């Protein structure tokens, strides 16, 4: 299933304005530019790979996403990238990529254990010898969802004027899952559009267990985009994984 925020063509067209380029993009762009061939899993609007092309990357860049609405934005903006509709269960690559990335907390959309295992098996298969898989999740110890409240309103300018967006998270997680709503309001809609989503917050121990099952091991791990260590207060768990010998 694709969340409405990603599958709705109008909302997909607003994604990059709501989520402007930031330190996370800089972190990943540096890695992409150093790799000869790159697979971006859950590439969304393709901003990262588009940025790599603009910065001079001339190797193979492939973006994979299950949301057609997001890939429409990607293809319009940069036709010189291979954009693929689907996921790593419907598409397989054997030892093809020097780098596989999963950005924008897309890993947290995988709610079931078998979804996580299937994704990681596909990543391991796609990696070339010496390849790396880099992804991030929000650190559950930092409890970011407690700050997803309706009083924190984000406003940006869309084609039809100001758009206001706010979040409202359920107060208590269900195990390692947090459900929340994302509401969009603006002149283009007669009433606000509400998207309901659930994310999974896995800690380092659980992540390492899934990686190990797939034949991957942690090579580096950071707690923020400045490559600081993971602590209980760190906002992120950024993992660089490599195939086990």
């Amino acid at each position: 299933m694709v969340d409405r925020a990603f599958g709705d063509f109008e909302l997909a067209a607003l994604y990059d304005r709501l989520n402007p380029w930031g330190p996370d993009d800089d972190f990943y762009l540096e890695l992409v530019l150093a790799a000869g061939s790159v697979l971006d899993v859950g590439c969304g609007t393709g901003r990262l790979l588009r940025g790599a092309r603009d910065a001079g990357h001339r190797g193979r860049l492939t973006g994979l996403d299950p949301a057609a609405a997001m890939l429409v934005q990607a293809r319009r903006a940069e036709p010189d990238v291979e954009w693929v509709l689907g996921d790593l269960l419907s598409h397989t690559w054997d030892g093809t990529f020097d780098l596989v990335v999963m950005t924008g907390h897309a890993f947290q959309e995988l709610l079931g254990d078998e979804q996580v295992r299937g994704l990681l098996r596909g990543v391991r298969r796609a990696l070339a010898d010496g390849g790396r898989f880099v992804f991030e999740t929000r650190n559950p110890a930092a409890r970011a969802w407690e700050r997803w409240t309706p009083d924190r309103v984000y406003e940006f300018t869309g084609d039809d004027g100001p758009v206001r967006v706010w979040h409202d998270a359920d107060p208590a997680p269900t195990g390692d899952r947090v459900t929340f709503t994302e509401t969009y309001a603006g002149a283009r809609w007669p009433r606000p559009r509400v998207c309901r989503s659930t994310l999974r917050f896995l800690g380092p121990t659980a992540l390492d267990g899934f990686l190990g099952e797939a034949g991957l091991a942690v090579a580096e791990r950071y707690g923020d985009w400045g490559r600081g260590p993971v602590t209980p207060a760190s906002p992120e768990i950024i993992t660089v994984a490599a195939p086990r010998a």
Side-chain angles (χ1 to χ4, degrees):
M1 295 292 291
V2 175
D3 281 355
R4 183 182 183 186
F6 307 133
D8 183 296
F9 283 91
E10 285 191 316
L11 299 184
L14 297 173
Y15 182 86
D16 286 348
R17 294 184 224 188
L18 177 61
N19 301 278
W21 189 277
D24 53 333
D25 299 289
D26 291 330
F27 176 92
Y28 281 108
L29 181 61
E30 180 180 341
L31 298 175
V32 171
L33 291 176
S37 54
V38 182
L39 173 64
D40 185 352
V41 180
C43 65
T45 63
R47 179 172 64 195
L48 176 63
L49 299 186
R50 288 189 276 121
R53 275 287 185 256
D54 290 344
H57 194 291
R58 291 296 171 258
R60 181 176 182 179
L61 299 177
T62 301
L64 175 68
D65 201 283
M70 299 295 267
L71 288 183
V72 165
Q73 303 301 315
R75 291 187 179 114
R76 284 175 178 170
E78 179 53 82
D80 188 28
V81 168
E82 179 184 11
W83 305 112
V84 181
L85 179 65
D87 55 32
L88 284 173
L89 297 179
S90 55
H91 298 277
T92 59
W93 288 274
D94 292 312
T96 302
F97 296 100
D98 302 315
L99 175 68
V100 177
V101 298
M102 198 169 189
T103 71
H105 303 108
F107 190 89
Q108 292 186 254
E109 300 278 343
L110 305 171
L111 301 182
D113 288 357
E114 288 309 309
Q115 286 180 290
V116 174
R117 291 186 178 109
L119 177 279
L120 293 176
R121 284 194 299 265
V123 167
R124 175 63 185 88
R125 184 173 179 177
L127 284 173
D129 291 342
R132 292 291 185 269
F133 172 45
V134 187
F135 68 104
E136 89 287 333
T137 66
R138 297 176 183 88
N139 185 2
R143 303 180 68 83
W145 61 85
E146 294 180 346
R147 297 182 292 279
W148 299 350
T149 54
D151 59 299
R152 294 172 177 257
V153 178
Y154 304 87
E155 186 167 321
F156 61 95
T157 302
D159 294 337
D160 302 318
V163 177
R164 300 170 68 245
V165 182
W166 62 91
H167 301 86
D168 191 4
D170 290 352
T174 302
D176 55 17
R177 295 164 178 79
V178 173
T179 297
F180 65 98
T181 58
E182 184 175 54
T183 301
Y184 293 75
R188 67 169 61 194
W189 304 296
R191 62 184 64 85
R193 290 201 171 187
V194 180
C195 307
R196 189 170 180 82
S197 303
T198 300
L199 297 177
R200 191 175 188 185
F201 286 73
L202 293 173
T205 300
L207 290 169
D208 292 353
F210 283 119
L211 289 166
E213 288 182 25
L216 296 164
V218 176
E220 302 168 53
R221 179 162 278 157
Y222 308 112
D224 57 49
W225 300 112
R227 292 179 168 80
V230 176
T231 71
S234 300
E236 307 287 348
I237 302 172
I238 305 163
T239 300
V240 180
R244 289 191 309 198

